[in-house]
Amino acid sequence: MIRIAIDGPGGAGKSSVAKAVARELGIIYVDTGALYRNIGLYMLENGVSPSDSEAVSSALCGVNLELKFEDGKQIILLNGIDRGDEIRTPECSMAASAVSAIGAVREFLLNTQRDTAKQNSVIMDGRDIGTVILPDAEVKIFLVASAEARAKRRYNELVAKGVDTTYERVYTEMVERDKNDSTRDLAPCVQAEDAILLDNSKLTAEQTVKKVLKIIKKVEKKRRTGYMRLHRVLAPFLRFVMRLRPHNLERIPKDGGLLICANHISAFDVISIAATSPRQITFIAKKELFSIPILGSLIKALGAVKVDRGNNDVGAIRTAVNKAKSGSAVAIFPQGHRYPKVDPATTPIKNGAAMIAYHAGCAVLPVYIQTKKAKFRLFKRVDVFYGDPIPFDQLGFTTGGKDDYEAVTKRVFDDILALGDRSSLPPYDPSKEKKKNKKRKK
Ligand code: DC
């Protein structure tokens, strides 16, 4: 999980930079200004003066804001309706700035913003993200530019959208809004102590994006060092408690994008791999694992990416692809589900692994996790067999379609199966699973 806060005055290009960075990293972009704009719009439409603190506070009970994401795109429903670009007019900008100085409004929006960042890796832009909303964000950037440069950009944006205005008006309003936003008592727009200041007055949007990505990479590198430190302390302990026996560690490529695919017996498989691999691994773990005490905290610390099995989680796949593309090792369980006490050769497998390898263009490393009777227990020996990496061009992709994904996943899974001893394991019986599920429901 990574949380990136980009704060700064209006027109500094926060939203276009954040959007591009979100796309590059495969994470969610949250435009918090749009929340304030929707409240500003509501007040204007309901005849409430946006600067009348009392009137705005009591009118808030008529506001229902829903923040959601469709294919990574943010959608805000104001009382059930997506108001689109109606919130981008100069009147609405001024109204948003006025309502944002009111405590009840900031309180009203606090949890919506924080909850989004609890569940996802995000890049969030606003005025108080690094200081109030996400004070412990991993990356904080304070993006600024001269008032002239910002007014010019905003003016061009508005003209392109067909808004009838002048540069002078945009400039005057921008300076006024800056003053409102940075001098108000509540959550003023100021640089957090630990934020990195970036002035892009003389930079193009592309150059700014590059600089921001560079800052993020640097921070991630630092975090990786932190991970390796944690790994040095924790891994020997876990290897002891779980009696982990790694085999053929020399087969793990030392660098370059890699997709590690393993069979899945228990929730502890993540630890079996993380505590034996000398290389840092990003796990794609189903979201239920994050709520298991201790294990959830451990996999979070290990940088696991949440996947929602119910929904076809495009975001998690995209994150995995981007991680592998940028040279990380990503691990996934092609069975998509734990299958203890049975021969993995007889269970269903899913296509996500091949899809990730295809889009990342990376090699795949098969791993077989073996325990007695394929049942995990603490203090009972777990063997982790690392196989030979399969280079991308030997995975056998042809068209990159569904059939391809199916065939490649099967080919990878065959390599996984060949690593272990499954001779004493009974076949998977789906009817037993159905019965178990029924019992659980009762
Ligand atoms: O980023 P923007 O121009 O869309 O924001 C509109 C107004 O909302 C801005 O004038 C200040 C306010 N705002 C805020 O106070 N805190 C935030 N996190 C985001 C925006």
Side-chain angles (χ1 to χ4, degrees):
M1 288 266 284
I2 186 161
R3 289 151 309 158
I4 304 163
I6 300 203
D7 290 305
K14 297 185 300 290
S15 67
S16 37
V17 168
K19 254 184 228 161
V21 171
R23 220 176 301 122
E24 185 66 29
L25 302 181
I27 61 176
I28 283 176
Y29 160 55
V30 188
D31 167 10
T32 61
L35 294 165
Y36 291 93
R37 286 174 179 270
N38 269 283
I39 294 188
L41 177 66
Y42 177 87
M43 299 303 158
L44 290 177
E45 286 182 338
N46 287 276
V48 179
S49 161
S51 51
D52 182 340
S53 161
E54 252 174 55
V56 168
S57 304
S58 49
L60 276 178
C61 59
V63 179
N64 180 29
L65 279 186
E66 207 185 315
L67 173 64
K68 45 184 203 167
F69 297 89
E70 280 175 13
D71 282 337
K73 189 174 175 277
Q74 170 175 305
I75 292 172
I76 297 176
L77 300 181
L78 170 60
N79 293 332
I81 299 168
D82 176 3
R83 304 299 298 268
D85 272 352
E86 283 177 79
I87 60 165
R88 304 280 163 201
T89 62
E91 292 71 31
C92 213
S93 298
M94 294 313 281
S97 177
V99 296
S100 72
I102 299 169
V105 172
R106 304 206 76 84
E107 193 63 33
F108 185 79
L109 295 176
L110 186 75
N111 287 340
T112 309
Q113 297 170 79
R114 282 199 183 144
D115 288 350
T116 314
K118 254 187 218 154
Q119 292 157 11
N120 310 284
S121 280
V122 294
I123 178 161
M124 207 177 253
D125 83 357
R127 305 291 186 285
D128 61 339
I129 310 303
T131 49
V132 178
I133 307 294
L134 307 175
D136 52 355
E138 284 78 11
V139 183
K140 293 183 188 176
I141 293 170
F142 198 67
L143 192 62
V144 297
S146 68
E148 289 76 15
R150 289 184 288 120
K152 213 161 151 192
R153 287 178 201 157
R154 191 45 63 89
Y155 170 71
N156 290 340
E157 242 172 60
L158 290 171
V159 169
K161 277 185 192 154
V163 178
D164 181 23
T165 187
T166 62
Y167 168 79
E168 287 68 30
R169 180 175 175 198
V170 174
Y171 178 83
T172 312
E173 283 182 356
M174 184 153 275
V175 172
E176 190 184 336
R177 209 148 67 91
D178 280 358
K179 196 168 155 235
N180 286 351
D181 295 346
S182 58
T183 57
R184 66 185 180 212
D185 293 337
L186 284 167
C189 177
V190 290
Q191 182 180 349
E193 255 177 37
D194 49 351
I196 294 165
L197 180 70
L198 179 58
D199 185 333
N200 73 352
S201 307
K202 294 194 179 122
L203 300 180
T204 62
E206 291 76 34
Q207 286 168 330
T208 312
V209 172
K210 267 197 187 149
K211 286 229 170 195
V212 170
L213 285 170
K214 211 167 154 191
I215 294 172
I216 296 168
K217 271 212 174 120
K218 224 173 167 182
V219 174
E220 285 215 303
K221 198 170 166 200
K222 245 194 192 160
R223 282 175 79 204
R224 262 203 300 278
T225 319
Y227 168 93
M228 289 323 284
R229 245 180 241 143
L230 176 80
H231 194 271
R232 254 199 302 278
V233 178
L234 215 54
F237 169 74
L238 291 168
R239 282 201 294 266
F240 172 73
V241 177
M242 292 166 63
R243 295 196 57 204
L244 291 168
R245 299 288 150 84
H247 301 267
N248 308 320
L249 286 177
E250 74 288 352
R251 291 178 175 170
I252 305 175
K254 293 202 171 41
D255 40 43
L258 182 70
L259 183 68
I260 298 175
C261 292
N263 61 314
H264 204 5
I265 299 170
S266 132
F268 285 86
D269 293 342
V270 170
I271 309 291
S272 300
I273 298 177
T276 53
S277 158
R279 191 173 161 183
Q280 179 172 358
I281 295 165
T282 302
F283 281 90
I284 309 298
K286 57 179 202 210
K287 71 172 187 197
E288 290 84 349
L289 291 190
F290 287 78
S291 38
I292 300 178
I294 303 174
L295 182 77
S297 317
L298 268 175
I299 61 169
K300 215 170 173 184
L302 293 170
V305 175
K306 237 181 246 183
V307 63
D308 187 346
R309 262 183 319 149
N311 306 315
N312 190 359
D313 199 327
V314 184
I317 299 261
R318 207 185 297 145
T319 307
V321 169
N322 285 325
K323 287 255 173 206
K325 249 189 184 169
S326 61
S328 297
V330 179
I332 191 164
F333 301 102
Q335 288 161 290
H337 195 3
R338 281 168 275 166
Y339 291 97
K341 298 192 267 186
V342 296
D343 179 357
T346 58
T347 69
I349 47 174
K350 300 190 170 176
N351 292 338
M355 203 187 291
I356 295 169
Y358 180 79
H359 290 287
C362 67
V364 173
L365 185 79
V367 176
Y368 189 84
I369 300 171
Q370 186 166 298
T371 53
K372 198 172 168 197
K373 295 189 181 159
K375 171 98 187 99
F376 175 84
R377 275 198 204 94
L378 279 180
F379 298 109
K380 288 273 180 275
R381 176 175 170 149
V382 180
D383 285 283
V384 185
F385 294 99
Y386 288 91
D388 281 316
I390 315 167
F392 178 72
D393 56 6
Q394 283 173 32
L395 284 167
F397 285 114
T398 52
T399 53
K402 187 172 167 276
D403 293 345
D404 231 15
Y405 296 148
E406 226 164 79
V408 174
T409 308
K410 187 170 175 326
R411 183 234 188 280
V412 168
F413 209 65
D414 284 345
D415 275 24
I416 296 174
L417 298 172
L419 291 168
D421 175 8
R422 301 171 284 110
S423 53
S424 62
L425 297 176
Y428 168 62
D429 179 356
S431 64
K432 269 191 192 161
E433 189 83 0
K434 272 185 200 148
K435 269 185 216 155
K436 248 196 268 165
N437 283 343
K438 256 190 198 166
K439 251 192 201 165
R440 250 183 243 143
K441 272 182 195 157
K442 273 180 196 167

